[in-house]
Structure formats: C-alpha cells, structure tokens
Amino acid sequence: MAPMQSRQQKTEESKLSICHDQEKGQFSNLSKLLKHLRGNVLLIATILSVFLGVTIGLLCRQFKPSADTIALVEFPGEIFMRMLKMLMVPLIVSSMITGVAGMDRQTSGKMGLFTIGYYISTTVIAIILGFVLAFSIKPGNIDFTSANVRTSEDVRQPSSRDVFLDLVRNLFPDNLVRAAFQSSGTVYTQKETSQENIDGNETVPYTIGADVSTNVTHEMETHEKHENSLTWVGKLAYKPGVNTIGLLVYCCVFGAILGKMGKSGKVLLKFFSGVAMITMNMVSKAMLYSPIGILALIAGKILGVKDLAVTAQHLGMYMVTGLIGLFIHAVIVIPLIYYILTRKNPFRVTLGILQALITAFGTDSSSATLPVTIRCCEEKLKIDKTITRFMLPIGATINMDGGALFQVITPLYLAQLSKINLDFTQMLTLGLAATLASIGAAGLPGIGLIITMMVMSSVGLPINNLFMILAVDWCLGRMRTMTNVSGDCMAASILQHIFKPGAGRDVPNKNDGNGAAPEDAARMMEDHDVV
C-alpha cells in the first residue's frame, strides 16, 4: 500500500506543478502583453484617433456644418501642426551639424553620394511607374464635364527653367535668417506695355525680390502679348515656407568644418548636440497631443468636402490609379530594393515607424513629420544618430517619390480627359519636369498641386480642370506623404546596413596634419572637459 500511496502522491504533486507552471506562464504572457501595450499606448491612441476622425467626419456631415464650425473642429489640428513646424528648423540645423561633424570626410562623402543617388533613382522609378499605370489603366477615358470649373487664364505658372533656377538660388540663400521662414521663387505678373512696343519682341525688367532693397535687375525677353497690351513679367519673390535646401547646404558645410576643428570646436559641437537632445525631448512631449491633433485634422478635412459621393464617382478611377501606384511603390518596389541590398525583412522597418506614418497621414507634411521620423528611427529601429541626422533631413526635402508619381499620373489623366494626345518629346519633358520638381519641392501640405501646375505648363497642357483634383487631393496628399516618409526610413536602414553604426567614428584621418582627426569630433560628446 505504501508504494501505491507514494506514487499517487507524486502524481498529484506533478499535476500541481504542471498547473502552477501553466498559471505562471499565463501570468508571464499577460504581463508581457500589458508591458507591450504600455510601451505603445501612444501608437494605439494615434491609430484610434484616425478611425475616430473618419467616423466623426462622416457622421457629422449630415448636419451640414458651416465654415466657422469646420474651422473650430480643425483648430486643435492646426495647433498640432504649428507645434511640429516650430520644432522643424532647430531640429534640422542641430541634427545636420552634429551628424556631419561626427563623420570622417571619406565616409560622409560616400554617404552623401549614396543618399543623392538612391533618392534620384527611386524618384525615376516612381515616374516610370506612373507612366505605366496611366497608359495601362487610362483613368481619364470617361465622360465627364464640370459646370463649375475654375479657369486660370489670368495666372501663368513658372516654367521648367524657372524651377531649375529657383532650385539653384535656394541652394545659396542670400539671408540665412530669412531662409528659416521664406524661400525664393519666380512669380509672373501682368504689365501694360506701350503701343510702340507691341510689335516684335519686348524687353522687360526681371526684378530680383519685391521686398529687397536693391536696384539690381536682369533683362528677360518675353514673347507673349495680349490684345489688351499686357505682357507677363517674371519677378523673383519670397514665399512663406522654410528654405530647407539652403539650410541643409549651410549646415552640411558648417558641420564638415566643425568636425575638422577637433578640441577647439568641442564647445560649439556640445551646444548643437544639446539643442538636438532638447528638441527631441520637446518632440516627445508634443507627440502626447498627436491623437487629438490628428483626429481634428482628419475630421475637419472630411467635413470640408462638398459632396463625397459625386467626387468619388467622377474621380474614382484617378484615385484608384494613384493608390495602386503608391501601393506598388511603397509595398513592393522600395521593400524589394531594401531586401536586395540588405537581405533583411523590410517590413520590420514599417512596424518600427508606424508612429511616423500615422503622423504623416495626419499632417500631410514630411517636413512636419521629420521630428517624429528621427525619433522612430533612433528609438525603434536603433539606427545610428549619425545616419538619421544626416539622411532624414535630406530625404524630407528631396525624396518626394509619392509626389513624383502623381505629377505624372495627374497630367496624363487630365490630358486623357481633354482628349489630348502627347508625343514622345512631351512625355520625356513631362518626366524630366516631374523629376526636377519633386527634388526641389518643399515637404509642405498642398505643395503637390502647385508643382503639378508647373509640370503641366511645361508640356503645354491646359490647367483649367486641375482644380477639380482639389476635392480628393487632401486624401491623396496624405498617402503620398506616408510613401515619402516610408522611403526615407528604408533608405536610412539601408545606409545603416552598408556603413554600419558609428562608421564615422572609427576611421582616423591620418593625412590631416593641421586639423584634428575626425575621432576627436566624434569624442567631443564623451569628453566632459571644456576648453
């Protein structure tokens, strides 16, 4: 009897042990789940805010709110946008200077060439994809007439030449303080001409800056005349918006020289690094408000659309074509490039930047999303700060793959709608104009429509029907911004794989006898002595 009781007792003890282990395992899994939820509470709240914003916007449309009511609904979102824009310039300046200063010259040159080459290549791929989709789906082959189309006969858009010259001008801002809130661009105004100058070509002044105290003028020939003796005069004016390209060029050169100074530049580098750290902490605090801001932005935009059903019916194929293009580019093309270059799962990057993607959807601005993008890449993806603070500010400025895709699809859609056939030369011009415009475009809300006007004007397409795109551009612009931000983060991850973390800190520059070695610049943040 004793052996049987002993075996029964052991069996009961083993059962109790198994039950205890199961309960312990369940408790451990539950604790891990709660810990994961606590760590991603902001992300969950942001995702919910998107769905709530769409739901509230659709439900409240039946009450037909006034313009003042819609403005009040959008007001919390406006505050969120202003908070992000406030942090954009200090973050670009500090992160670019510290990022470049921490690299040796050889590595920074290779990274710069790779960055520019990668972004131009993906832009060209996006443009080719846009041509393929527009000619295969043919979204404009529908019967559509708009009774209330706005005309733009009294507006002349800058040509491709003007855009290129403006891009070069903005690379070298004449006033660095002005570059923090204004950029220069060519605008055209009509001017009356004397009767004796109507025949033949007339030379008119091309004024440099309407608000600049200088008498410097350039001469420009114009051939366009009207019956009322008016001619178009090109003028260089300053427009609201950060001249990001000019700031990047200045900060890149500034950081490269600072990195050579060694110990003598230690204090200055610590200052900019401190500014970057403080700004990133401010971004973390501002993101606590993001669910409310994103909800308000989305709800307000949905309330502002006049007729969703009619808009979807008339522009449905255009939207489908564009969304298919963005899906192919963001989910197939860019991840495939990432996998070929790194042999790693590209969707781990997507999971790590969900917060940045949702913020991009809410703000419709890759520049405003830049602080969140840098934060996600450094904290979630563990990308080296030297890479994120060098590549992401550049990407937010010149990587506009989503915009380039639509700058091809939109003109071809409107050309098909107007029964206009483009020849090979016009299509080539369209592709080049879209490439140049996407590189030089600022990452700001609504910039895509303005760039599309310029691209259409470059091939002589009428822009009268372009304004009907406004009905859906608020939504498509957000999808484009998400594509751009995703491409920036993929590029940073590829750079991380190729150059490895800390690549700019480990390679000494022995040939530099006068200046300090780059490792001195890299160790400035570790040295606590102030000289």
Side-chain angles (χ1 to χ4, degrees):
M1 294 291 294
M4 290 183 63
Q5 291 178 353
S6 178
R7 283 197 295 269
Q8 291 177 353
Q9 185 176 2
K10 289 181 180 179
T11 303
E12 292 176 358
E13 289 177 355
S14 63
K15 289 181 178 179
L16 291 174
S17 177
I18 292 173
C19 293
H20 179 72
D21 291 340
Q22 290 177 348
E23 292 177 356
K24 186 177 180 180
Q26 293 175 354
F27 179 76
S28 177
N29 293 333
L30 181 61
S31 62
K32 288 181 181 178
L33 177 61
L34 292 176
K35 183 179 179 181
H36 183 72
L37 291 176
R38 284 196 298 268
N40 295 276
V41 62
L42 182 60
L43 174 61
I44 296 171
T46 308
I47 294 174
L48 290 176
S49 70
V50 173
F51 290 103
L52 286 175
V54 174
T55 304
I56 293 174
L58 292 176
L59 291 178
C60 293
R61 283 183 59 84
Q62 58 183 334
F63 299 108
K64 298 180 180 179
S66 63
D68 292 338
T69 303
I70 295 175
L72 290 176
V73 172
E74 289 184 325
F75 182 73
E78 179 186 351
I79 297 301
F80 178 61
M81 286 286 294
R82 295 173 73 91
M83 291 166 63
L84 292 180
K85 290 180 179 179
M86 173 185 66
L87 299 172
M88 185 175 66
V89 172
L91 182 63
I92 289 175
V93 172
S94 60
S95 63
M96 194 68 180
I97 289 176
T98 55
V100 175
M103 294 185 296
D104 65 281
R105 287 178 293 179
Q106 183 179 5
T107 302
S108 61
K110 290 180 179 179
M111 288 177 61
L113 289 175
F114 177 86
T115 301
I116 301 299
Y118 175 86
Y119 284 146
I120 292 178
S121 300
T122 55
T123 300
V124 172
I125 292 173
I127 288 173
I128 294 174
L129 178 61
F131 275 113
V132 172
L133 290 175
F135 284 114
S136 58
I137 299 177
K138 297 182 179 179
N141 287 352
I142 58 174
D143 294 329
F144 171 73
T145 55
S146 177
N148 297 317
V149 171
R150 292 170 55 187
T151 62
S152 55
E153 296 178 355
D154 296 331
V155 178
R156 173 175 169 177
Q157 299 301 322
S159 64
S160 300
R161 182 202 64 178
D162 296 326
V163 172
F164 176 76
L165 295 178
D166 291 341
L167 174 63
V168 177
R169 290 190 189 101
N170 284 321
L171 286 173
F172 308 98
D174 56 351
N175 189 323
L176 197 62
V177 176
R178 186 197 295 273
F181 58 90
Q182 283 184 336
S183 60
S184 60
T186 302
V187 296
Y188 281 88
T189 57
Q190 287 184 325
K191 180 182 178 181
E192 292 188 6
T193 58
S194 58
Q195 186 66 31
E196 60 270 15
N197 291 329
I198 292 180
D199 297 327
N201 295 335
E202 179 197 9
T203 301
V204 294
Y206 185 85
T207 308
I208 302 296
D211 56 345
V212 180
S213 58
T214 177
N215 295 323
V216 178
T217 60
H218 295 291
E219 297 297 319
M220 185 183 82
E221 288 189 352
T222 179
H223 302 275
E224 296 194 17
K225 302 292 181 295
H226 296 281
E227 295 178 359
N228 56 356
S229 302
L230 293 177
T231 186
W232 290 107
V233 179
K235 181 173 63 176
L236 189 65
Y238 291 97
K239 301 175 291 185
V242 180
N243 181 8
T244 312
I245 297 179
L247 289 179
L248 287 177
V249 170
Y250 176 83
C251 293
C252 186
V253 177
F254 189 99
I257 296 175
L258 183 61
K260 298 179 184 178
M261 294 177 62
K263 292 184 178 180
S264 60
K266 182 192 309 182
V267 175
L268 191 57
L269 184 55
K270 282 188 174 183
F271 167 76
F272 283 111
S273 183
V275 171
M277 293 173 61
I278 293 171
T279 306
M280 289 305 298
N281 286 331
M282 293 177 68
V283 170
S284 300
K285 300 297 186 292
M287 289 309 298
L288 297 176
Y289 179 70
S290 63
I292 299 175
I294 291 174
L295 186 152
L297 285 171
I298 295 175
K301 289 298 180 182
I302 292 177
L303 290 174
V305 179
K306 292 184 179 180
D307 194 329
L308 284 176
V310 174
T311 299
Q313 180 182 358
H314 290 161
L315 301 174
M317 288 305 297
Y318 167 73
M319 293 182 66
V320 168
T321 305
L323 292 176
I324 289 175
L326 293 179
F327 179 84
I328 293 174
H329 190 77
V331 181
I332 298 177
V333 175
I334 298 299
L336 183 61
I337 294 175
Y338 177 88
Y339 178 77
I340 291 173
L341 295 178
T342 66
R343 299 296 178 182
K344 295 180 180 179
N345 181 9
F347 298 106
R348 71 172 187 86
V349 178
T350 306
L351 291 175
I353 61 169
L354 284 177
Q355 184 73 52
L357 294 179
I358 296 172
T359 304
F361 183 81
T363 61
D364 189 20
S365 171
S366 54
S367 296
T369 312
L370 180 61
V372 188
T373 308
I374 294 177
R375 180 168 170 259
C376 288
C377 287
E378 292 179 357
E379 296 181 5
K380 299 291 185 180
L381 302 180
K382 307 300 180 184
I383 299 176
D384 189 68
K385 293 182 179 180
T386 302
I387 293 175
T388 59
R389 300 181 183 192
F390 174 79
M391 192 167 195
L392 292 178
I394 297 176
T397 305
I398 69 174
N399 180 34
M400 300 293 169
D401 293 349
L405 183 76
F406 270 84
Q407 284 155 23
V408 170
I409 292 177
T410 302
L412 292 178
Y413 163 74
L414 295 175
Q416 293 169 1
L417 207 63
S418 303
K419 310 300 181 184
I420 298 175
N421 295 321
L422 301 179
D423 56 28
F424 178 78
T425 303
Q426 288 177 308
M427 288 189 290
L428 182 61
T429 304
L430 181 65
L432 292 175
T435 302
L436 181 63
S438 63
I439 292 175
L444 301 174
I447 194 68
L449 198 69
I450 300 173
I451 298 301
T452 304
M453 288 183 184
M454 183 278 300
V455 173
M456 293 181 64
S457 300
S458 66
V459 292
L461 287 175
I463 60 176
N464 293 349
N465 290 333
L466 180 61
F467 292 96
M468 71 183 183
I469 304 297
L470 283 172
V472 294
D473 191 67
W474 66 272
C475 178
L476 296 176
R478 283 160 166 74
M479 298 298 180
R480 294 193 296 262
T481 305
M482 291 176 67
T483 302
N484 298 337
V485 171
S486 176
D488 293 342
C489 297
M490 288 284 186
S493 297
I494 293 173
L495 211 64
Q496 169 85 354
H497 175 79
I498 294 176
F499 291 93
K500 306 299 181 184
R505 302 190 185 112
D506 299 333
V507 182
N509 187 357
K510 297 180 181 179
N511 297 326
D512 193 356
N514 299 324
E519 64 265 25
D520 292 333
R523 294 191 185 110
M524 286 181 184
M525 295 314 304
E526 300 175 2
D527 191 344
H528 298 286
D529 297 328
V530 178
V531 293

